[in-house]
PDB file of all heavy atoms in Angstrom:
ATOM      1  N   ALA A 211     -38.484 262.434 233.854  1.00  0.00           N
ATOM      2  CA  ALA A 211     -37.233 262.159 233.146  1.00  0.00           C
ATOM      3  C   ALA A 211     -36.303 263.364 233.149  1.00  0.00           C
ATOM      4  O   ALA A 211     -35.088 263.216 233.107  1.00  0.00           O
ATOM      5  CB  ALA A 211     -37.528 261.728 231.712  1.00  0.00           C
ATOM      6  N   GLY A 212     -36.854 264.555 233.214  1.00  0.00           N
ATOM      7  CA  GLY A 212     -36.026 265.758 233.211  1.00  0.00           C
ATOM      8  C   GLY A 212     -35.216 265.953 234.472  1.00  0.00           C
ATOM      9  O   GLY A 212     -34.260 266.725 234.494  1.00  0.00           O
ATOM     10  N   CYS A 213     -35.583 265.258 235.538  1.00  0.00           N
ATOM     11  CA  CYS A 213     -34.829 265.385 236.790  1.00  0.00           C
ATOM     12  C   CYS A 213     -33.455 264.733 236.681  1.00  0.00           C
ATOM     13  O   CYS A 213     -32.532 265.115 237.388  1.00  0.00           O
ATOM     14  CB  CYS A 213     -35.606 264.770 237.944  1.00  0.00           C
ATOM     15  SG  CYS A 213     -37.088 265.699 238.340  1.00  0.00           S
ATOM     16  N   GLY A 214     -33.327 263.741 235.817  1.00  0.00           N
ATOM     17  CA  GLY A 214     -32.026 263.128 235.571  1.00  0.00           C
ATOM     18  C   GLY A 214     -31.368 262.543 236.799  1.00  0.00           C
ATOM     19  O   GLY A 214     -30.150 262.573 236.918  1.00  0.00           O
ATOM     20  N   GLY A 215     -32.124 262.046 237.722  1.00  0.00           N
ATOM     21  CA  GLY A 215     -31.553 261.419 238.907  1.00  0.00           C
ATOM     22  C   GLY A 215     -31.037 262.403 239.942  1.00  0.00           C
ATOM     23  O   GLY A 215     -30.186 262.067 240.761  1.00  0.00           O
ATOM     24  N   ALA A 216     -31.521 263.632 239.897  1.00  0.00           N
ATOM     25  CA  ALA A 216     -31.062 264.651 240.842  1.00  0.00           C
ATOM     26  C   ALA A 216     -31.363 264.281 242.289  1.00  0.00           C
ATOM     27  O   ALA A 216     -30.678 264.738 243.199  1.00  0.00           O
ATOM     28  CB  ALA A 216     -31.704 265.998 240.517  1.00  0.00           C
ATOM     29  N   PHE A 217     -32.373 263.466 242.489  1.00  0.00           N
ATOM     30  CA  PHE A 217     -32.771 263.119 243.846  1.00  0.00           C
ATOM     31  C   PHE A 217     -32.179 261.787 244.304  1.00  0.00           C
ATOM     32  O   PHE A 217     -32.554 261.274 245.346  1.00  0.00           O
ATOM     33  CB  PHE A 217     -34.298 263.077 243.951  1.00  0.00           C
ATOM     34  CG  PHE A 217     -34.929 264.394 243.621  1.00  0.00           C
ATOM     35  CD1 PHE A 217     -35.527 264.603 242.387  1.00  0.00           C
ATOM     36  CD2 PHE A 217     -34.903 265.431 244.529  1.00  0.00           C
ATOM     37  CE1 PHE A 217     -36.104 265.825 242.077  1.00  0.00           C
ATOM     38  CE2 PHE A 217     -35.480 266.653 244.229  1.00  0.00           C
ATOM     39  CZ  PHE A 217     -36.070 266.850 242.995  1.00  0.00           C
ATOM     40  N   LEU A 218     -31.286 261.211 243.514  1.00  0.00           N
ATOM     41  CA  LEU A 218     -30.662 259.940 243.882  1.00  0.00           C
ATOM     42  C   LEU A 218     -29.304 260.180 244.504  1.00  0.00           C
ATOM     43  O   LEU A 218     -28.543 260.994 243.985  1.00  0.00           O
ATOM     44  CB  LEU A 218     -30.544 259.032 242.661  1.00  0.00           C
ATOM     45  CG  LEU A 218     -31.879 258.628 242.038  1.00  0.00           C
ATOM     46  CD1 LEU A 218     -31.638 257.844 240.769  1.00  0.00           C
ATOM     47  CD2 LEU A 218     -32.716 257.816 242.996  1.00  0.00           C
ATOM     48  N   PRO A 219     -28.919 259.542 245.531  1.00  0.00           N
ATOM     49  CA  PRO A 219     -29.677 258.576 246.325  1.00  0.00           C
ATOM     50  C   PRO A 219     -30.835 259.276 247.025  1.00  0.00           C
ATOM     51  O   PRO A 219     -30.831 260.479 247.229  1.00  0.00           O
ATOM     52  CB  PRO A 219     -28.663 258.029 247.316  1.00  0.00           C
ATOM     53  CG  PRO A 219     -27.631 259.091 247.441  1.00  0.00           C
ATOM     54  CD  PRO A 219     -27.594 259.796 246.108  1.00  0.00           C
ATOM     55  N   LEU A 220     -31.812 258.487 247.392  1.00  0.00           N
ATOM     56  CA  LEU A 220     -33.061 259.036 247.908  1.00  0.00           C
ATOM     57  C   LEU A 220     -32.916 259.754 249.248  1.00  0.00           C
ATOM     58  O   LEU A 220     -33.815 260.473 249.656  1.00  0.00           O
ATOM     59  CB  LEU A 220     -34.101 257.914 248.023  1.00  0.00           C
ATOM     60  CG  LEU A 220     -34.519 257.301 246.687  1.00  0.00           C
ATOM     61  CD1 LEU A 220     -35.490 256.148 246.924  1.00  0.00           C
ATOM     62  CD2 LEU A 220     -35.145 258.336 245.788  1.00  0.00           C
ATOM     63  N   ASN A 221     -31.800 259.613 249.920  1.00  0.00           N
ATOM     64  CA  ASN A 221     -31.634 260.289 251.211  1.00  0.00           C
ATOM     65  C   ASN A 221     -31.322 261.780 251.050  1.00  0.00           C
ATOM     66  O   ASN A 221     -31.188 262.491 252.035  1.00  0.00           O
ATOM     67  CB  ASN A 221     -30.559 259.608 252.053  1.00  0.00           C
ATOM     68  CG  ASN A 221     -29.194 259.667 251.428  1.00  0.00           C
ATOM     69  OD1 ASN A 221     -29.024 260.146 250.319  1.00  0.00           O
ATOM     70  ND2 ASN A 221     -28.201 259.147 252.132  1.00  0.00           N
ATOM     71  N   LYS A 222     -31.209 262.276 249.816  1.00  0.00           N
ATOM     72  CA  LYS A 222     -30.975 263.702 249.581  1.00  0.00           C
ATOM     73  C   LYS A 222     -32.205 264.542 249.887  1.00  0.00           C
ATOM     74  O   LYS A 222     -32.095 265.737 250.137  1.00  0.00           O
ATOM     75  CB  LYS A 222     -30.592 263.946 248.117  1.00  0.00           C
ATOM     76  CG  LYS A 222     -29.197 263.575 247.752  1.00  0.00           C
ATOM     77  CD  LYS A 222     -29.010 263.973 246.297  1.00  0.00           C
ATOM     78  CE  LYS A 222     -27.622 263.763 245.798  1.00  0.00           C
ATOM     79  NZ  LYS A 222     -27.510 264.190 244.391  1.00  0.00           N
TER      80      LYS A 222
END
Side-chain angles (χ1 to χ4, degrees):
C213 292
F217 300 102
L218 297 175
L220 295 177
N221 63 356
K222 284 183 176 181

